[in-house]
Amino acid sequence: MNASKLSAFVAYTGRDKALSQLIFNGISKANSVDACPTRYEPWEYNDIAGNHLLSPILEGIDTSPFVVADITYLNPNVVYEIGFAIGRKKKVLLIRNSDYEGDRDLSKTVGIFDTIGYSSYRTEDDLRNKLTSHVSLHALPFEITVNSKAPVYVMPNNGNSAASTHLISRVKKARYRYRSFSSTEDVRLSATDAIAQVAQSAGIISMLDGDNLEQTVRALFITGLADGMDKPSLLLSPYMAETPLDVRDKARPYKHPNDIADIIADFCPEINAKLQESLPPPIIAPNLLGRISVGDPTAENEMTTLENYYLQTDQYLRASRGEVNLVVGRKGAGKTALFIRLRDTTRADKRNIVVDLKPESYQLLKLKDEILEHLAEGSKQHLITAFWEYLILLEVTYKLLEKDRHTHRFNHNIHDLYEKLEEIYVGGEGIAEGDFSERIMQLSQRLSENYSSKVNENATKITGQNLTELLYSHDLKSLKEVLSQYLEHKHNVLVLFDNLDKSWSTIGVDKTDATTLRCLIDASRKVERDMQKRGHTFRCIVFVRNDVYQHLMANSPDYGKEMRATLDWSDADLLRELLRLRLISSLGEEFEEASFQDIWAGISESHVFGEESSSFVIDRSLMRPRNVLKLFGHARAFAVNFRKEKIDQEDFYKGLKAYSQDLLVELDRELSDVFPDAQDLLYYFIDSPSVLTLDQLYRVMSEAAIPENRQETLRDFLLYHGVIGLHMDDKDQYIFDVGYDLKQILVRVKRLGVEANFVLNPAFAPALEIKDQLIEKQSSFTLK
């Protein structure tokens, strides 16, 4: 043997003994030709268990100037080795015996090898001549540049299979954008495309299918490519399915599609590590976890700092342009934050008048108990609307007098008007100084006393037009006239109402509460229209909980006519931007242009429990900013307490447990605020399975003493709040997944009938100890 000859690896199948012998003999003849610069090393027994060792084969490919592979039969191991060699940037000479039918049809259907090109031979001498002729060493060209925007390449086994559905779902859960090959979309896989897709990936996931040879060939080829390029690769295989020897130790078997979640969870760190190799290091250095802050989850506590990181949403911009008179949103959706920013930005212009009012229901209890409960519905509406209209006018007047208390003396344009307005305001009986809560309570109390006095005097109930006489202690016509004249010297007037529903009793709200809210909205529009007719830029905006508004106003004839901005969050990236703004605010100006990904990489592990870590937080927030801040704050606190540089899986787990208990208490109160029958209902889901049938759901309600005729309404209410979602094969569907359009979910529920299944939101899993949603089983740490 000529020691100076290079050794080239030859791969072929042993399935057909005659063909195998022909190839072996052809190789031997080629090796006997002294002039041939290459010595060919066959691996004849590729398919025989016990004789096949993968490491020597891969080492042989690594040391070979090129590789020869016979594709007469598409042997799975040979397919993997071809992919590995191409990934190693080796020239691969494909050969095929034209006298054998072999896997000709399969090869055409798969589409890989005819797009590379191959040489045909018939006899041993033909093969000898091929091998002793000049073989170009030019490998297929490709660049290994990771696509950071979509770093994962996925090849599911079938787009309609449960296993494929779980695979795609878990990749999305890990928040990796991905590219994929689907046999339902593309009939054949081009080798050029496969090489390019793998080359730009930080992770490759493929699935074997024992019943589909085309899928197996494609999966093994891209797995070989990935391993050749040193890319992280995951090969999923059905449990007990026959696995090719080359990948037997590599393939990850799954018994049930649900097992795929844990397998993907284990694989995510490999993807992220590879991705970080190709990306610039995060701009945030370690040890900054203690410096960062995301502010207070409660907007009222952020009045002095909110301007530093407030996210200007479309709803905010519409409100600032005067396009809405009603802002609705769930608790924690950001109503108060919008209220604060709108107030502060408007009053930054000294010419503007901002009246921010936060009436709470307890301030109206005396009025409600002593008057409203005794009036007919028409009289009740008349009185409450007049009450709110009167209150708005008085509060705008009070704000003007307060604002110009000193400056009017030196301003001849408003001096006389100020004194006239003050005379009218102070001349009214019972108007006290102090804060707004004192003034509204005094007005309510005075009206109640006047009403009681008049009833005792006449020994009858007061109704109709006499009610307003009991309310007004000012000459309302004169007040409006002088107020209008005064506003001619001002710019804009903005009246903001918040908190009316904040203190409603947990025993629920009644018809009078609904009327109070309806009349506030009507009165604010009435005053607004009146002042705008007089030529003033005058706007009133009422802030109210979305669930309360819909629950109380659904039967109103004017329901839906308001210019309304709804603070419903459905875009996870918008919540990430909210977090980013808060994070960079605490890090300084040098980080103003930093992306969320760069900042997050410096303070948190990329993946926890198989999910991208920021998605782990957002998916359990019920898509509410306050909850995002709470869960992140809990997890960060645990990490800081243990002096960690980053928030890790253990911190997120502990943070979730603390947050889950908070959420359980808050949502139970929120539900019972507007639906008294639901008080303590959530607690009855303790120890429930995560997925419940319709019967199981109603059984829990029955145990919580929910009347049978109310159970369907309660079910819809739980869906509306995101406490439960509709369990689907591909992805569980919650209210925020359908743009908060409950009808979309209810139509699907109706179609499914008794077959409908519901899933409890995983945010409640630790508090309710929902066993099949608890994440301890995936934990790599020991809980004390």
Side-chain angles (χ1 to χ4, degrees):
M1 181 180 71
N2 189 340
S4 63
K5 288 187 176 184
L6 297 173
S7 296
F9 179 77
V10 184
Y12 55 93
T13 181
R15 185 196 311 178
D16 188 307
K17 298 301 181 183
L19 178 61
S20 176
Q21 189 62 48
L22 187 156
I23 295 172
F24 185 84
N25 293 339
I27 292 171
S28 298
K29 289 183 178 182
N31 287 337
S32 66
V33 177
D34 290 337
C36 180
T38 305
R39 176 172 181 79
Y40 294 95
E41 296 189 357
W43 197 275
E44 185 174 4
Y45 304 108
N46 244 9
D47 281 353
I48 301 176
N51 292 343
H52 180 87
L53 294 174
L54 179 60
S55 294
I57 291 178
L58 300 186
E59 291 172 4
I61 293 173
D62 264 336
T63 58
S64 296
F66 64 93
V67 172
V68 179
D70 183 86
I71 59 168
T72 307
Y73 293 96
L74 294 184
N75 172 268
N77 296 308
V78 174
V79 170
Y80 171 82
E81 291 154 16
I82 292 171
F84 182 85
I86 294 174
R88 278 290 197 258
K89 291 196 171 183
K90 302 287 183 179
K91 165 69 177 181
V92 179
L93 175 62
L94 298 182
I95 58 175
R96 190 183 192 286
N97 194 299
S98 58
D99 285 345
Y100 285 77
E101 179 64 25
D103 288 331
R104 192 188 307 271
D105 290 341
L106 177 61
S107 181
K108 289 180 179 178
T109 307
V110 169
I112 296 172
F113 305 102
D114 55 355
T115 59
I116 298 177
Y118 58 85
S119 296
S120 297
Y121 70 95
R122 295 180 61 198
T123 66
E124 298 171 5
D125 291 338
D126 286 344
L127 181 57
R128 177 201 61 196
N129 293 337
K130 295 283 185 188
L131 298 179
T132 55
S133 300
H134 173 71
V135 178
S136 170
L137 299 184
H138 293 296
L140 293 173
F142 61 87
E143 294 295 327
I144 302 180
T145 303
V146 172
N147 180 347
S148 59
K149 294 183 178 179
V152 178
Y153 184 57
V154 180
M155 182 177 284
N157 59 16
N158 186 309
N160 297 320
S161 73
S164 289
T165 299
H166 277 74
L167 167 59
I168 297 300
S169 175
R170 295 312 301 185
V171 172
K172 290 179 179 178
K173 201 78 170 177
R175 203 171 171 258
Y176 285 123
R177 296 187 183 274
Y178 65 93
R179 295 156 285 110
S180 66
F181 173 84
S182 171
S183 58
T184 59
E185 298 292 335
D186 301 299
V187 178
R188 286 157 44 88
L189 176 63
S190 160
T192 303
D193 182 61
I195 295 167
Q197 294 287 6
V198 173
Q200 62 180 301
S201 300
I204 296 88
I205 307 174
S206 58
M207 304 183 79
L208 293 175
D209 187 341
D211 298 326
N212 188 330
L213 287 176
E214 298 169 19
Q215 172 67 22
T216 296
V217 170
R218 295 187 186 111
L220 289 170
F221 181 69
I222 68 164
T223 301
L225 284 172
D227 291 351
M229 297 181 200
D230 290 323
K231 304 272 190 174
S233 65
L234 173 62
L235 184 63
L236 295 165
S237 175
Y239 187 69
M240 296 301 290
E242 185 176 351
T243 307
L245 284 169
D246 276 6
V247 294
R248 189 160 294 171
D249 293 335
K250 178 182 184 64
R252 293 291 304 272
Y254 61 90
K255 286 185 178 180
H256 188 275
N258 289 336
D259 298 338
I260 292 173
D262 290 341
I263 298 174
I264 297 293
D266 294 338
F267 185 58
C268 282
E270 295 184 48
I271 298 175
N272 194 64
K274 191 67 178 180
L275 186 59
Q276 294 305 314
E277 289 178 10
S278 60
L279 296 176
I283 60 172
I284 305 297
N287 302 316
L288 291 182
L289 193 59
R291 280 177 49 191
I292 64 169
S293 170
V294 292
D296 196 296
T298 304
E300 287 89 344
N301 299 334
E302 298 188 300
M303 291 187 182
T304 59
T305 58
L306 191 59
E307 64 176 327
N308 298 329
Y309 41 71
Y310 182 72
L311 176 62
Q312 293 190 359
T313 60
D314 177 65
Q315 293 90 337
Y316 167 81
L317 294 174
R318 288 177 60 208
S320 65
R321 292 193 298 263
E323 297 174 4
V324 303
N325 54 29
L326 190 64
V327 174
V328 298
R330 289 162 167 75
K331 276 188 176 180
K335 296 190 306 299
T336 301
L338 195 155
F339 180 102
I340 293 171
R341 287 306 299 145
L342 193 58
R343 179 197 66 187
D344 292 350
T345 54
T346 303
R347 70 183 181 188
D349 186 338
K350 300 301 183 183
R351 298 172 299 172
N352 294 335
I353 302 299
V354 180
V355 182
D356 53 324
L357 307 176
K358 295 194 174 187
E360 298 191 15
S361 59
Y362 75 89
Q363 297 161 351
L364 305 175
L365 284 179
K366 191 174 184 66
L367 177 65
K368 177 180 177 180
D369 293 342
E370 297 186 7
I371 301 179
L372 299 181
E373 296 296 345
H374 305 290
L375 296 177
E377 189 61 30
S379 299
K380 184 186 302 184
Q381 293 182 19
H382 178 82
L383 177 60
I384 299 176
T385 303
F387 177 89
W388 288 124
E389 180 186 3
Y390 186 40
L391 183 69
I392 292 172
L393 293 172
L394 290 179
E395 287 303 312
V396 172
T397 302
Y398 180 86
K399 178 62 69 174
L400 289 168
L401 296 175
E402 179 186 52
K403 185 180 180 68
D404 293 339
R405 178 163 297 160
H406 301 293
T407 58
H408 81 278
R409 299 173 185 173
F410 313 103
N411 187 337
H412 68 278
N413 291 320
I414 63 171
H415 181 274
D416 292 343
L417 284 172
Y418 182 94
E419 292 186 345
K420 186 182 295 186
L421 189 63
E422 184 179 37
E423 181 181 355
I424 294 173
Y425 181 79
V426 176
E429 295 179 4
I431 301 299
E433 297 296 325
D435 64 13
F436 171 69
S437 62
E438 293 174 322
R439 294 194 297 275
I440 189 175
M441 289 181 70
Q442 185 171 0
L443 181 62
S444 173
Q445 182 175 352
R446 193 191 65 202
L447 177 58
S448 298
E449 291 173 351
N450 289 346
Y451 176 81
S452 299
S453 174
K454 188 65 77 172
V455 167
N456 292 334
E457 179 182 325
N458 297 334
T460 183
K461 292 184 178 179
I462 303 298
T463 59
Q465 60 184 18
N466 303 104
L467 288 168
T468 52
E469 297 175 4
L470 301 178
L471 173 65
Y472 302 143
S473 62
H474 296 81
D475 182 343
L476 198 61
K477 183 178 180 180
S478 298
L479 177 64
K480 287 182 179 180
E481 186 62 35
V482 177
L483 180 61
S484 177
Q485 294 174 22
Y486 201 99
L487 291 178
E488 291 177 4
H489 302 280
K490 299 299 178 180
H491 196 208
N492 298 329
V493 179
L494 178 63
V495 181
L496 302 174
F497 274 95
D498 193 14
N499 272 15
L500 181 63
D501 55 358
K502 187 172 184 178
S503 298
W504 273 342
S505 170
T506 55
I507 63 172
V509 295
D510 56 24
K511 196 171 183 178
T512 300
D513 293 320
T515 302
T516 302
L517 177 58
R518 173 76 269 171
C519 291
L520 171 59
I521 296 170
D522 290 342
S524 65
R525 286 194 299 184
K526 185 175 183 295
V527 175
E528 187 178 86
R529 287 194 301 266
D530 184 36
M531 287 296 173
Q532 288 175 355
K533 286 180 182 178
R534 295 171 183 259
H536 308 302
T537 304
F538 194 109
R539 293 184 291 128
C540 293
I541 303 178
V542 178
F543 293 72
V544 66
R545 270 171 48 190
N546 198 5
D547 54 337
V548 170
Y549 173 74
Q550 293 200 19
H551 180 64
L552 297 182
M553 312 307 294
N555 297 321
S556 169
D558 293 331
Y559 176 67
K561 292 184 179 180
E562 297 84 6
M563 295 186 296
R564 178 176 44 173
T566 303
L567 287 175
D568 283 333
W569 298 71
S570 56
D571 187 344
D573 285 332
L574 202 58
L575 288 171
R576 290 186 180 91
E577 177 62 10
L578 178 145
L579 265 179
R580 186 190 75 87
L581 291 174
R582 288 170 174 265
L583 290 168
I584 62 175
S585 175
S586 62
L587 291 174
E589 294 182 358
E590 65 269 30
F591 298 107
E592 283 185 359
E593 302 302 321
S595 69
F596 175 82
Q597 288 77 12
D598 286 340
I599 298 174
W600 192 257
I603 62 174
S604 170
E605 296 293 340
S606 66
H607 287 78
V608 292
F609 310 108
E611 299 180 41
E612 193 275 329
S613 50
S614 69
S615 294
F616 178 86
V617 173
I618 292 170
D619 288 350
R620 288 158 178 78
S621 70
L622 278 65
M623 297 303 286
R624 304 187 188 187
R626 182 186 298 174
N627 291 348
V628 171
L629 300 180
K630 280 189 175 183
L631 178 49
F632 175 79
H634 282 308
R636 174 189 168 276
F638 283 113
V640 170
N641 289 344
F642 285 93
R643 296 177 175 82
K644 295 180 181 178
E645 294 181 352
K646 290 186 177 183
I647 308 171
D648 60 22
Q649 182 165 276
E650 181 176 7
D651 304 317
F652 278 114
Y653 173 81
K654 293 177 178 178
L656 178 61
K657 288 193 72 174
Y659 159 77
S660 183
Q661 191 60 48
D662 294 345
L663 188 64
L664 178 63
V665 174
E666 290 174 7
L667 260 293
D668 180 69
R669 291 177 180 173
E670 188 173 340
L671 286 168
S672 58
D673 274 352
V674 293
F675 202 61
D677 290 349
Q679 187 170 11
D680 296 333
L681 170 62
L682 296 184
Y683 290 91
Y684 284 86
F685 285 99
I686 288 176
D687 298 326
S688 292
S690 61
V691 177
L692 299 96
T693 65
L694 190 61
D695 286 343
Q696 288 175 319
L697 180 63
Y698 287 163
R699 201 174 303 135
V700 171
M701 292 185 185
S702 296
E703 187 181 358
I706 303 297
E708 189 172 329
N709 63 344
R710 302 289 282 166
Q711 291 180 357
E712 182 175 322
T713 303
L714 247 299
R715 178 204 67 190
D716 296 349
F717 221 66
L718 294 175
L719 284 167
Y720 179 81
H721 280 267
V723 176
I724 63 173
L726 181 61
H727 182 59
M728 311 285 283
D729 289 336
D730 54 345
K731 182 183 185 297
D732 295 332
Q733 193 173 77
Y734 293 95
I735 186 71
F736 31 79
D737 296 319
V738 293
Y740 295 88
D741 184 358
L742 182 60
K743 289 182 181 179
Q744 291 191 38
I745 296 181
L746 294 182
V747 167
R748 291 188 173 97
V749 170
K750 184 177 181 180
R751 287 175 179 170
L752 292 168
V754 295
E755 300 298 321
N757 290 325
F758 301 89
V759 58
L760 282 162
N761 195 303
F764 298 96
L768 296 176
E769 299 187 6
I770 303 172
K771 301 302 180 184
D772 50 341
Q773 278 187 339
L774 292 178
I775 54 181
E776 290 98 326
K777 62 181 180 180
Q778 297 176 341
S779 301
S780 59
F781 53 87
T782 302
L783 298 177
K784 302 298 182 184

